[in-house]
């Protein structure tokens, strides 16, 4: 059997790393990188850290509007899929590369599987929500990470076959946690005591009003916490345009985005995390780090219900209070699965393809 995996952005690489070794053991596996992310810190470092083989194809799509990214990736993908003729195309998560991969594959007549299906934030202004909904409705095989996401797929009556697998981020974290512990990132950043880790990059947080709330929140929190902010280049550009970067850099350790191992070490040892990332919310939960999500909603509703993730969005007071007054819940469950999601995914594919 021949499988093609389509990836292109940081969270796609993390998810691919979970199932890649299992697919490689069994089948011919071709990795296609759309080129959506191209900086070393957002792309190659994940292949190095997580021992993912280099992509067989690099499509060089780069940055641009949504239509540019999806359209260019589709054109280039269509051509290679018609040459490679895979038995299955696998797409991951909810990025523009995920959407382009699924659309190109389905329209060219190839069976498509979606890893991380069924998540909903119920906010169509979020580009990722549009991507998820379309991909779920056109894919033939859907791997849902949680009971809630499986329920969403059933309620929406998606035509594909849905399976509950657990979250592949659990598998990745379990596999790499001890390697991450060996990272010397704390020494490199000269951090000794308690600190707050921040990652913010979502489109909806990049307008000047939201950036000002973020800036003022962090300046206020810096009187109580040391703050480390591995900053996505998009956030750096947006803060810079809004003239907010220099003052923020006075209060916060702003650094380049980190590779997975350094990042997990930094997250594990942080006392709190403030983020708008889907992946970081789950990793914080798994590592038992209190997590404030800088959004008004999340597709990971189970984590909010558990008390380990809190939403805080409206204004500086609300976010500062949420970070300062976070109390760890007593109970820590197993909401994201047991670390065997990738094994389940591969055995379902084995069954489907005989
Ligand atoms: C994308 C995903 C988002 C994911 C994020 C992970 C979509 C719709 N969004 O958002 O779900 O959380 O990746 O990081 O796919 N840029 C660089 N270097 C790069 C890549 C991007 O400087 O290697 C800058 C460019 O200015 C670019 C901007 O970041 O315009 C946004 O990049 P893009 O890939 O469009 O979206 P992300 O915000 O990264
Ligand atoms: N991540 C990382 N370095 C960073 C920030 C995040 O390795 O500086 C990892 C993080 O551990 C998680 C993934 O990137 O596994 C999340 O990606 P991102 O936040 O970009 O996207 P999302 O999960 O929101 O789609």
């Amino acid at each position: 059997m021949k499988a093609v995996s389509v990836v292109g952005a940081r969270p796609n690489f993390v998810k691919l790393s979970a199932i890649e070794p299992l697919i490689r053991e069994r089948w011919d596996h071709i990795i296609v990188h759309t080129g959506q992310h191209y900086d070393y810190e957002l792309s190659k470092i994940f292949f190095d850290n997580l021992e993912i083989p280099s992509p067989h194809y690099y499509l060089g799509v780069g940055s641009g509007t949504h239509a540019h990214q999806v359209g260019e990736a589709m054109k280039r993908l269509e051509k290679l899929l018609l040459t490679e003729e895979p038995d299955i195309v696998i797409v991951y998560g909810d990025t523009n590369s995920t959407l382009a991969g699924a659309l190109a594959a389905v329209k060219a007549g190839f069976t498509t599987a979606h890893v991380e299906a069924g998540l909903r934030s119920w906010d169509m202004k979020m580009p990722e929500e549009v991507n998820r909904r379309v991909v779920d409705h056109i894919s033939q095989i859907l791997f849902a990470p949680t009971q809630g996401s499986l329920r969403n797929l059933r309620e929406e009556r998606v035509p594909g076959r849905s399976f509950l697998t657990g979250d592949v981020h659990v598998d990745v974290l379990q596999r790499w946690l001890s390697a991450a512990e060996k990272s010397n990132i704390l020494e490199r950043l000269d951090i000794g005591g308690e600190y707050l880790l921040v990652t913010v990059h979502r489109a909806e947080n990049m307008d000047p009003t939201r950036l000002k709330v973020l800036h003022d929140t962090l300046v206020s929190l810096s009187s109580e916490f040391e703050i480390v902010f591995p900053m996505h280049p998009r956030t750096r550009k947006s803060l810079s345009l809004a003239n907010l970067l220099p003052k923020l850099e006075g209060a916060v350790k702003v650094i380049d985005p980190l590779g997975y191992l350094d990042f997990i070490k930094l997250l594990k040892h942080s006392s709190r995390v403030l983020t708008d990332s889907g992946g970081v919310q789950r990793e914080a939960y798994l590592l038992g780090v209190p997590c404030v999500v800088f959004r008004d909603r999340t597709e990971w509703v189970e984590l909010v219900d558990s008390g380990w993730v809190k939403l805080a969005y409206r204004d500086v007071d609300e976010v500062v209070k949420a970070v300062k007054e976070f109390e760890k819940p007593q109970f820590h469950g197993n909401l994201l699965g047991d670390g065997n999601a990738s094994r389940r995914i591969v055995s379902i594919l084995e069954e489907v393809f005989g």
Side-chain angles (χ1 to χ4, degrees):
M1 172 158 122
K2 188 193 267 190
V4 163
S5 280
V6 180
V7 290
R10 176 167 70 186
N12 300 146
F13 310 138
V14 176
K15 297 178 225 305
L16 168 68
S17 79
I19 66 169
E20 185 281 327
L22 300 174
I23 303 185
R24 185 166 20 122
E25 263 173 27
R26 291 164 173 79
W27 305 308
D28 187 7
H29 187 205
I30 293 166
I31 299 173
V32 182
H33 186 319
T34 64
Q36 177 177 348
H37 283 177
Y38 42 85
D39 287 348
Y40 176 75
E41 295 80 12
L42 292 181
S43 176
K44 173 96 172 42
I45 197 167
F46 290 87
F47 288 78
D48 295 345
N49 269 201
L50 302 172
E51 295 178 5
I52 310 169
S54 296
H56 301 76
Y57 291 93
Y58 184 80
L59 306 182
V61 166
S63 301
T65 63
H66 291 272
H68 164 85
Q69 276 180 338
V70 177
E72 280 305 314
M74 276 184 75
K75 280 201 282 190
R76 298 171 201 195
L77 279 164
E78 181 182 57
K79 203 163 150 208
L80 86 84
L81 290 175
L82 292 173
T83 311
E84 291 289 350
E85 297 197 325
D87 299 288
I88 180 133
V89 177
I90 309 172
V91 297
Y92 304 81
D94 55 16
T95 70
N96 284 346
S97 299
T98 316
L99 176 63
L103 276 172
V106 170
K107 282 186 171 283
F110 296 102
T111 304
T112 304
H114 183 204
V115 174
E116 218 173 271
L119 296 165
R120 296 291 180 266
S121 64
W122 315 109
D123 176 8
M124 287 296 275
K125 288 197 297 302
M126 188 184 181
E128 293 81 3
E129 179 78 356
V130 177
N131 295 347
R132 292 191 277 259
R133 284 177 183 245
V134 175
V135 174
D136 285 342
H137 280 262
I138 63 175
S139 300
Q140 287 86 357
I141 305 173
L142 300 149
F143 298 119
T146 57
Q147 288 284 359
S149 53
L150 184 71
R151 202 165 43 243
N152 292 336
L153 294 170
R154 302 235 156 109
E155 284 174 2
E156 287 179 24
R157 297 177 183 278
V158 294
R161 293 175 65 191
S162 307
F163 302 89
L164 179 64
T165 58
D167 180 6
V168 292
H169 276 257
V170 181
D171 310 20
V172 182
L173 192 63
Q174 285 181 359
R175 177 166 168 215
W176 293 103
L177 189 56
S178 57
E181 274 296 3
K182 297 195 185 95
S183 152
N184 62 359
I185 187 70
L186 299 178
E187 293 79 35
R188 275 164 32 226
L189 294 176
D190 194 21
I191 304 176
E194 295 207 339
Y195 59 92
L196 168 72
L197 176 62
V198 180
T199 84
V200 172
H201 68 268
R202 296 240 94 79
E204 56 269 33
N205 279 325
M206 289 301 110
D207 73 69
T209 320
R210 297 299 306 151
L211 288 169
K212 182 82 170 91
V213 174
L214 175 67
H215 169 276
D216 293 355
T217 298
L218 295 183
V219 169
S220 165
L221 286 168
S222 69
S223 62
E224 217 165 288
F225 289 92
E226 183 164 15
I227 304 178
V228 188
F229 191 161
M231 196 176 277
H232 188 297
R234 171 181 204 169
T235 315
R236 192 182 276 277
K237 279 179 205 154
S238 307
L239 280 167
S240 200
L241 272 174
N243 235 340
L244 293 169
L245 191 58
K247 205 170 139 218
L248 190 68
E249 283 183 316
V252 170
K253 235 175 219 177
V254 175
I255 58 173
D256 284 338
L258 294 168
Y260 185 80
L261 300 177
D262 283 340
F263 185 77
I264 291 298
K265 170 85 178 236
L266 202 55
L267 176 58
K268 177 157 190 274
H269 292 266
S270 63
S271 50
R272 314 262 148 108
V273 59
L274 175 67
T275 188
D276 61 5
S277 157
V280 176
Q281 281 172 62
R282 282 120 84 195
E283 289 155 354
Y285 166 76
L286 294 166
L287 293 167
V289 178
C291 176
V292 176
V293 169
F294 190 61
R295 281 170 56 189
D296 63 348
R297 59 189 93 189
T298 177
E299 52 286 357
W300 296 95
V301 281
E302 296 87 348
L303 303 186
V304 176
D305 294 343
S306 78
W308 283 94
V309 166
K310 287 194 193 317
L311 297 169
Y313 175 83
R314 219 177 21 243
D315 53 31
V316 177
D317 287 348
E318 187 190 43
V319 188
V320 167
K321 192 162 177 274
V323 172
K324 280 191 184 169
E325 295 180 5
F326 203 120
E327 281 191 28
K328 280 191 187 187
Q330 303 261 303
F331 180 71
H332 192 280
N334 195 14
L335 294 168
L336 299 174
D338 58 3
N340 287 307
S342 19
R343 265 187 275 279
R344 277 189 204 102
I345 287 170
V346 170
S347 57
I348 290 162
L349 290 177
E350 271 177 329
E351 242 170 69
V352 171
F353 289 92

